[in-house]
Amino acid sequence: MPDNALRGKTILVTGGAKNLGGSISRDLAAAGAGVAVHYHSRSDKGLAEDTVAACIAAGGDAFAIEADLTSVAEIRRVLDSVIGRYGSLYATVNTAGLAKGHSMTEVTEDEYDAHFAINAKAAFFVMAETAKRIDDGGKILNFVSSLLAAYTGRYSVYAGSKAPVEHFTRALSKELAGRRVSVNNLAPGPMDTSFFWDAAAPGEDAFSKAQTPYGELTKVEDVVPWVRFLLTDGWWLNGQTVFLNGGFATR
């Protein structure tokens, strides 16, 4: 088995400034990794800087980088900046995403395009450009959604724009097999963060809780350990989507 310790490894976390991404950044830094904390817009700069400070205080190294990942040129700039700073890239953890909850009859063309630009196009090119630069034995981990296994309304565009990432993951895991690079997805259930609350309809939290045997939303702390596992001892998992939701949905 290869050496899977994260100390001294370089990891890019897209959407790494806040919510789940922020917790992942801090946890990986605590394991000794150098973490590139990507954030999307100027409004998140302060949160990104706070996360970088927490990463350094936890014992790792980190820096923040702003970029619009719907631009392939920007994706390339981010990855080249990471390698320029650290000299290599061990893993990319792609948490960036967009979610709005509307019925299909209310979805605008702009909303549709924005979801597919962030959840599908950006994910595709983050994976593809990472694959060109990643170390042999590295890891690519995407976040999708347990709604891919659920029978529900209101999230047609969100779930629909996440669905292609499963196919991208399977294809890339085959293409990188000779380099021992594993490519996987984590699919959390409805999570107790602003990402969920900003999209949820009134009462949706109670409905989501009722769908699990535990009667709870997924918590960030339920998910973060799986990231470290899949970047280390869980390397044998490849081309898969793990539905991490306490029983909210299965497939």
Side-chain angles (χ1 to χ4, degrees), residues 94-99 115-116 118-120 123 142-148 155-169 185-186 195 241:
N94 184 30
T95 78
L98 174 66
H115 276 77
F116 274 84
I118 294 171
N119 295 338
N142 303 298
F143 275 83
V144 288
S145 171
S146 281
L147 292 181
L148 298 180
Y155 292 100
S156 57
V157 179
Y158 172 61
S161 58
K162 285 289 190 181
V165 181
E166 288 199 277
H167 299 279
F168 303 158
T169 294
N185 300 315
L186 280 176
F195 190 82
T241 298

Side-chain angles (χ1 to χ4, degrees), residues 99-108 111 115 153-158 199:
K100 300 290 184 183
H102 293 146
S103 69
M104 284 187 69
T105 58
E106 297 172 331
V107 173
T108 67
E111 186 176 319
H115 276 77
R154 295 194 71 249
Y155 292 100
S156 57
V157 179
Y158 172 61

Side-chain angles (χ1 to χ4, degrees), residues 8-247:
K9 301 287 179 65
T10 300
I11 302 170
L12 167 64
V13 182
T14 70
K18 61 183 180 179
N19 291 329
L20 176 63
S23 294
I24 290 169
S25 295
R26 292 189 292 273
D27 184 71
L28 297 176
V35 181
V37 177
H38 159 264
Y39 63 102
H40 175 71
S41 63
R42 193 66 53 91
S43 61
D44 288 330
K45 182 177 181 181
L47 291 170
E49 291 174 345
D50 290 346
T51 297
V52 166
C55 287
I56 294 170
D61 187 54
F63 78 105
I65 185 164
E66 179 184 351
D68 177 358
L69 299 183
T70 65
S71 163
V72 178
E74 285 286 275
I75 293 171
R76 291 170 178 159
R77 178 180 64 82
V78 168
L79 287 162
D80 290 343
S81 295
V82 173
I83 293 172
R85 181 181 178 100
Y86 292 116
S88 64
L89 178 65
Y90 172 72
T92 291
V93 179
N94 184 30
T95 78
L98 174 66
K100 300 290 184 183
H102 293 146
S103 69
M104 284 187 69
T105 58
E106 297 172 331
V107 173
T108 67
E109 183 177 4
D110 286 347
E111 186 176 319
Y112 179 97
D113 289 343
H115 276 77
F116 274 84
I118 294 171
N119 295 338
K121 177 187 174 182
F124 180 94
F125 285 103
V126 165
M127 293 167 69
E129 294 297 325
T130 293
K132 296 174 184 178
R133 298 162 173 82
I134 198 168
D135 301 340
D136 289 354
K139 312 288 182 287
I140 299 173
L141 181 60
N142 303 298
F143 275 83
V144 288
S145 171
S146 281
L147 292 181
L148 298 180
Y151 184 28
T152 185
R154 295 194 71 249
Y155 292 100
S156 57
V157 179
Y158 172 61
S161 58
K162 285 289 190 181
V165 181
E166 288 199 277
H167 299 279
F168 303 158
T169 294
R170 285 192 283 265
L172 190 59
S173 68
K174 285 284 190 180
E175 293 170 12
L176 296 180
R179 295 177 54 199
R180 308 288 286 186
V181 174
S182 61
V183 188
N184 290 293
N185 300 315
L186 280 176
M191 193 179 306
D192 190 9
T193 71
S194 61
F195 190 82
F196 169 78
W197 293 107
D198 289 348
E204 190 172 321
D205 59 319
F207 174 81
S208 296
K209 290 175 183 177
Q211 303 310 299
T212 74
Y214 305 123
E216 301 175 12
L217 296 176
T218 298
K219 298 181 180 64
V220 168
E221 55 265 33
D222 299 327
V223 176
V224 170
W226 285 79
V227 175
R228 194 190 292 202
F229 173 69
L230 290 176
L231 298 186
T232 55
D233 293 337
W235 67 277
W236 187 243
L237 192 78
N238 199 14
Q240 307 299 315
T241 298
V242 178
F243 288 89
L244 187 59
N245 56 38

